[in-house]
Amino acid sequence: MDHADHPVALLPGDVRIPLLGFGTWQATGEAGFKAVLAALDAGYRHIDTATMYGNEEEIGRAVRESGLRREDIFITTKLPPERVGRERETIEESLRALGVDQVDLWLLHWPPADPGDMIPTWREMLAVRDTGLARAVGVSNFSTTQIDELIQATEENPAVNQIKWSPFLYDRQRHAEHRDRGVVLEGYSPFKTSDLSDPVLTRIAGAHNVSPAQVVLRWHIDHEIVVIPKSVTPDRIRANADVFGFSLTAEEMRDIDALGKG
Ligand SMILES: NC(=O)c1ccc[n+]([C@@H]2O[C@H](COP(=O)([O-])OP(=O)(O)OC[C@H]3O[C@@H](n4cnc5c(N)ncnc54)[C@H](OP(=O)(O)O)[C@@H]3O)[C@@H](O)[C@H]2O)c1
């Protein structure tokens, strides 16, 4: 499948987020640079980073070196909540490090320690978006109650909530709560929270002649959940992007759903 045909979810402002992205936590320095370059070469068009990861410069370098057009790559970075009050300064640092004029998505990495900081930070992020430094803004590690507080205060739903997710954490109700609020669910740590030797995953992987890791990724995509696997291993980087040549049956989806809370 050509990367231009990769499935996307639609965010407010007509922003298209590819359902498959590349995670970069702990991918720093030369290894991080090489991993991102390999990922772009393997067809990923969505890179997930954060101020906290300390690798925005490497990512910017890989994006430039890839020869791809900036507008063909979706870049997410994240605001550490301890930067409350310095939101604009922090995204400006990210943009400088990445070497870009705007990011596609800017997330509040966690809810601030002081709940009183949550709404003012969200308002500031919306203002930053409105000046064009981020095309869309969202949150990470937020509960549905916290999302509702943001919406109630500003009438603006976060475009995305990035949370830990995998078949083993599957929670139908939580997914529906996001959908009902127009918040795209983005899962992180798909492998770290999975048992890749689970018999359900290995059976389904065998039926499609793919790996259990590829089944986990495809399961997210078939649920229209964004997934951002990380790897610094070239073979895995490629295999994790090669998930569009098969799809899961409704029965297989149900069997995988049943690994979680259902
Ligand atoms: N918002 C947040 O608070 C938050 C928190 C955590 C993560 N994230 C984001 O989500 C991304 C993904 O999560 P993650 O890095 O925690 O974990 P992950 O993607 O679930 O797992 C990464 C680990 O799995 C290994 N791996 C990769 N492909 C594999 C495969 N095909 N088979 C077996 N093992 C494989 C990697 O090893 P190698 O690298 O050695 O190949 C690495 O050790 C992060 O990189 C980050 O961008 C966000």
Side-chain angles (χ1 to χ4, degrees), residues 22-25 48-49 53 78 109-110 140-141 162 187-193 196 213 228-233 236 240:
F22 186 67
T24 69
W25 182 36
D48 181 80
T49 183
Y53 299 171
K78 311 186 192 84
H109 209 147
W110 297 277
S140 179
N141 300 303
Q162 186 183 112
Y188 70 72
S189 301
F191 302 140
K192 284 185 187 163
T193 60
L196 295 176
I228 47 173
K230 171 265 179 188
S231 176
V232 291
T233 313
R236 287 173 168 177
N240 294 344

Side-chain angles (χ1 to χ4, degrees), residues 65-77:
E65 202 133 317
S66 72
L68 293 165
R69 295 185 309 178
R70 166 67 188 97
E71 59 268 34
D72 290 334
I73 306 173
F74 188 99
I75 302 176
T76 299
T77 195

Side-chain angles (χ1 to χ4, degrees), residues 117-185:
D117 286 335
M118 199 170 77
I119 306 295
T121 305
W122 180 236
R123 282 194 203 285
E124 192 54 30
M125 290 180 74
L126 293 170
V128 164
R129 177 201 61 191
D130 291 344
T131 59
L133 301 185
R135 294 173 69 216
V137 286
V139 295
S140 179
N141 300 303
F142 268 52
S143 67
T144 304
T145 308
Q146 289 167 324
I147 289 174
D148 282 342
E149 285 177 42
L150 299 185
I151 297 173
Q152 226 158 29
T154 63
E155 289 179 19
E156 290 243 33
N157 53 305
V160 162
N161 186 23
Q162 186 183 112
I163 56 178
K164 203 182 273 183
W165 199 260
S166 78
F168 297 85
L169 301 175
Y170 181 59
D171 180 340
R172 183 186 308 275
Q173 192 188 326
R174 193 153 188 221
H175 187 197
E177 287 168 359
H178 283 79
R179 214 182 297 113
D180 292 348
R181 289 159 178 77
V183 179
V184 169
L185 180 53

